[in-house]
Amino acid sequence: MLFLIGLGLSDEKDITLRGLELASSADLVFLEAYTSKLYKEDLKALEKLIGKKIQRADREFIESSKILLYAHKHNVALLVPGDPMIATTHAELILRAREEKIETKIVHNAGIMNAVLDTGLQFYKFGRTTTISFWEGNYKPTSFYDVIKRNKKMNLHSLCLLDIDIVKNRYMSPNEAIRRLLFIQKQRGDEAVIDEVVVCSRMGSTKQNIIYGKAVELQNLAFGNGLHCLVIPAALHDLEREFLEQFRVKQ
Amino acid sequence: MLFLIGLGLSDEKDITLRGLELASSADLVFLEAYTSKLYKEDLKALEKLIGKKIQRADREFIESSKILLYAHKHNVALLVPGDPMIATTHAELILRAREEKIETKIVHNAGIMNAVLDTGLQFYKFGRTTTISFWEGNYKPTSFYDVIKRNKKMNLHSLCLLDIDIVKNRYMSPNEAIRRLLFIQKQRGDEAVIDEVVVCSRMGSTKQNIIYGKAVELQNLAFGNGLHCLVIPAALHDLEREFLEQFRVKQ
């Protein structure tokens, strides 16, 4: 059997009782360590909690479906930071497992789309989510800008995840993301697409921080370590505006 | 202090360790019982787990902010099925609490937007979420249809929540929702907006069920009790198609 178990966003205490029970019942426990990460990953604490040795699973181990060789013979738990079904790679793993007649269980948990609701922006007013990717050599995608622009036109907020390159241990900073967006906006000759921005830092952790202001005001601020994401808000309801004002950047 | 704690979707075992710890530390524990519900709500089991008496909080208790009278003097935990920040009413409660200088803590959990990823439909391909509302007298909204139509035009999936009327103990069935959508489509003279449908039943529970097929095929099927939602998929990626085929309705 294959258990895909979400860990939530902060540390080992974000696991659900169901997830913990299932992980503890597994013969082998792996921690997926490349699509996301816990804010405070303490492998020892997690091992103590589950009562099992935990091995780190890299991209190759998951994507080559090597993990399924184990799942044929054993109960294998794959622990995933956040919600385990956000990353396409895990949906694919579940599908391959079922094709190979391996029984699967999925235990969801809060992911970034949950934590970002702490901005007070309403779930029903979000449009499509996008990822602001690194530019590498000639690979200079701008499609994330188009997603934001289309969402905004329909008066929908945009959740923008920031690119992670685990191999190079690179995490895009909010600053780089905001500057990239302003750059593309200028290139396109647009004006009000990237106006106000909400920078969400270390969401779900005890060090969570939300800052709201004009993109030009925020682009040079220091947001600290950990994972970040942005929300580009569309027109705000009264409650949303009132909520966001709590996070207005200090001048 | 006010603790807003998500319970997840199925039963008492979906609470996180962090949520459980916080609820156990509270002086007063309330269960919000009108925006959503656990698939298998067992108040006794939840009380035993938390080690506290749990009182049910109705709409008036939350929306009149009566709960804050308690939170001024005590540590009050409000347990909420699913993710606690999906419902606007909870965002408003948090805001009012902070205005009254009451310290707040939010513990997220998996909500329907997490569980629905078990369809294999990719998070990044969902557009705006909508709710298919009951029609009452002259109140016959069709705006949910427009949301689906716009999403589909942009090649985005639509998560459609189904209306709940706790007071009348009414839950919209997938059948009613599908027929309503087909009715509006006909009225508008549209054709391919409501074509295929994914019916998601009791998501997050051990009785979870997903059925995929043409709207006309599904409109008369029996989907059982509990909460349901629909997804109206847009064009599918190969992996999404392969994943959904697992759930194809048997002819």
Side-chain angles (χ1 to χ4, degrees):
Chain A
M1 287 181 75
L2 177 67
F3 310 144
L4 191 62
I5 300 171
L7 292 180
L9 296 166
S10 186
D11 58 34
E12 67 282 355
K13 281 195 183 171
D14 284 331
I15 198 168
T16 66
L17 298 184
R18 172 165 276 107
L20 179 56
E21 194 175 284
L22 211 53
S24 300
S25 78
D27 305 309
L28 291 164
V29 182
F30 296 96
L31 174 65
E32 189 269 270
Y34 70 93
T35 61
S36 188
K37 60 169 196 169
L38 290 176
Y39 172 67
K40 212 176 117 190
E41 186 196 289
D42 181 341
L43 207 63
K44 287 268 167 295
L46 203 51
E47 287 182 333
K48 196 174 158 195
L49 192 66
I50 293 171
K52 307 263 164 177
K53 184 89 192 144
I54 299 173
Q55 301 173 63
R56 283 180 190 278
D58 62 13
R59 186 183 290 267
E60 203 264 333
F61 185 72
I62 307 288
E63 292 188 359
S64 67
S65 300
K66 241 182 229 173
I67 189 172
L68 297 184
L69 298 177
Y70 294 91
H72 272 291
K73 296 182 184 166
H74 305 281
N75 288 340
V76 173
L78 179 62
L79 309 178
V80 178
D83 186 282
M85 287 293 279
I86 290 191
T88 315
T89 187
H90 300 138
E92 184 152 15
L93 184 67
I94 288 289
L95 188 62
R96 298 298 158 243
R98 290 180 187 164
E99 282 169 356
E100 298 186 21
K101 312 283 181 212
I102 295 167
E103 205 182 322
T104 58
K105 285 189 182 178
I106 300 168
V107 181
H108 289 279
N109 207 321
I112 185 62
M113 73 275 224
N114 304 89
V116 85
L117 299 176
D118 285 2
T119 55
L121 295 169
Q122 283 302 302
F123 174 60
Y124 304 89
K125 287 192 59 198
F126 277 82
R128 182 180 199 169
T129 296
T130 190
T131 297
I132 302 185
S133 336
F134 287 120
W135 283 2
E136 307 261 15
N138 288 326
Y139 179 70
K140 295 182 175 176
T142 58
S143 53
F144 48 83
Y145 179 86
D146 297 303
V147 171
I148 296 167
K149 188 172 174 177
R150 274 197 300 268
N151 282 340
K152 197 148 193 180
K153 204 172 157 191
M154 288 184 304
N155 205 10
L156 299 173
H157 311 314
S158 301
L159 168 58
C160 307
L161 306 179
L162 304 188
D163 208 356
I164 294 179
D165 183 342
I166 290 279
V167 177
K168 292 186 183 162
N169 197 27
R170 260 175 97 197
Y171 301 87
M172 185 180 288
S173 69
N175 314 82
E176 184 175 351
I178 293 171
R179 286 186 207 125
R180 180 69 39 86
L181 290 173
L182 289 172
F183 175 82
I184 299 169
Q185 172 167 262
K186 197 170 173 189
Q187 216 176 27
R188 298 284 182 92
D190 289 340
E191 271 184 2
V193 177
I194 310 302
D195 176 22
E196 295 191 312
V197 173
V198 189
V199 177
C200 303
S201 301
R202 300 166 294 280
M203 296 308 283
S205 84
T206 50
K207 303 287 180 198
Q208 174 171 312
N209 195 35
I210 300 170
I211 307 240
Y212 164 59
K214 296 269 181 195
V216 287
E217 292 173 317
L218 300 188
Q219 63 179 328
N220 295 317
L221 282 189
F223 297 98
N225 64 349
L227 293 181
H228 310 262
C229 65
L230 307 183
V231 180
I232 312 299
L236 301 169
H237 284 163
D238 289 348
L239 180 66
E240 290 180 314
R241 180 174 304 283
E242 221 184 316
F243 210 101
L244 270 185
E245 284 302 334
Q246 302 175 86
F247 310 119
R248 174 74 73 178
V249 63
K250 308 285 180 296
Q251 297 299 332
Chain B
M1 286 181 77
L2 177 68
F3 310 144
L4 191 61
I5 301 172
L7 292 180
L9 295 167
S10 187
D11 59 34
E12 68 281 355
K13 280 194 182 172
D14 284 333
I15 198 169
T16 67
L17 299 185
R18 173 166 276 109
L20 179 57
E21 194 175 282
L22 212 52
S24 300
S25 78
D27 304 308
L28 289 164
V29 183
F30 295 95
L31 174 64
E32 189 270 271
Y34 68 94
T35 61
S36 189
K37 60 170 197 169
L38 290 176
Y39 172 67
K40 211 174 119 193
E41 185 197 290
D42 182 340
L43 206 63
K44 287 267 168 294
L46 203 51
E47 286 182 334
K48 196 175 158 192
L49 190 67
I50 293 172
K52 307 267 165 173
K53 184 87 193 145
I54 299 174
Q55 302 173 63
R56 284 181 190 280
D58 62 12
R59 184 184 292 269
E60 202 265 334
F61 185 73
I62 306 289
E63 292 188 0
S64 68
S65 300
K66 244 183 225 172
I67 189 171
L68 297 184
L69 297 177
Y70 293 91
H72 271 291
K73 297 181 184 168
H74 305 282
N75 288 339
V76 173
L78 179 61
L79 309 178
V80 179
D83 186 282
M85 288 294 279
I86 290 190
T88 314
T89 188
H90 300 137
E92 184 152 14
L93 183 67
I94 288 290
L95 189 63
R96 298 298 157 242
R98 290 180 187 165
E99 281 169 356
E100 297 186 20
K101 311 287 181 209
I102 296 166
E103 205 182 322
T104 59
K105 285 190 183 178
I106 300 168
V107 182
H108 289 280
N109 206 319
I112 185 62
M113 73 273 223
N114 304 89
V116 86
L117 300 176
D118 285 3
T119 56
L121 294 171
Q122 283 302 304
F123 174 61
Y124 304 89
K125 288 191 60 198
F126 277 83
R128 181 180 198 169
T129 296
T130 190
T131 297
I132 303 186
S133 337
F134 288 121
W135 283 3
E136 308 260 15
N138 289 324
Y139 179 69
K140 295 182 173 176
T142 57
S143 52
F144 48 82
Y145 178 86
D146 297 303
V147 171
I148 296 167
K149 188 171 174 177
R150 274 197 300 269
N151 281 340
K152 198 150 194 179
K153 203 172 157 192
M154 288 183 304
N155 206 10
L156 298 173
H157 311 314
S158 301
L159 168 58
C160 307
L161 306 179
L162 304 188
D163 208 356
I164 294 179
D165 183 342
I166 290 277
V167 177
K168 293 185 183 163
N169 197 28
R170 261 174 96 199
Y171 301 87
M172 185 180 288
S173 69
N175 313 83
E176 186 177 349
I178 293 171
R179 286 185 207 126
R180 180 70 38 85
L181 290 173
L182 288 172
F183 175 83
I184 299 169
Q185 173 168 261
K186 198 170 170 190
Q187 218 176 27
R188 299 281 182 93
D190 288 341
E191 271 182 3
V193 177
I194 310 302
D195 176 21
E196 293 190 313
V197 173
V198 189
V199 177
C200 304
S201 301
R202 299 168 294 279
M203 296 308 283
S205 84
T206 51
K207 302 288 180 196
Q208 173 171 314
N209 194 35
I210 300 171
I211 307 244
Y212 165 59
K214 295 270 182 195
V216 288
E217 292 174 317
L218 301 187
Q219 64 178 330
N220 295 318
L221 281 189
F223 296 99
N225 64 351
L227 294 181
H228 310 263
C229 66
L230 307 182
V231 180
I232 313 298
L236 302 169
H237 284 165
D238 289 349
L239 178 68
E240 290 181 315
R241 181 173 304 283
E242 220 185 317
F243 210 102
L244 269 186
E245 285 301 335
Q246 303 174 86
F247 310 120
R248 174 74 73 178
V249 61
K250 306 286 182 294
Q251 298 297 333

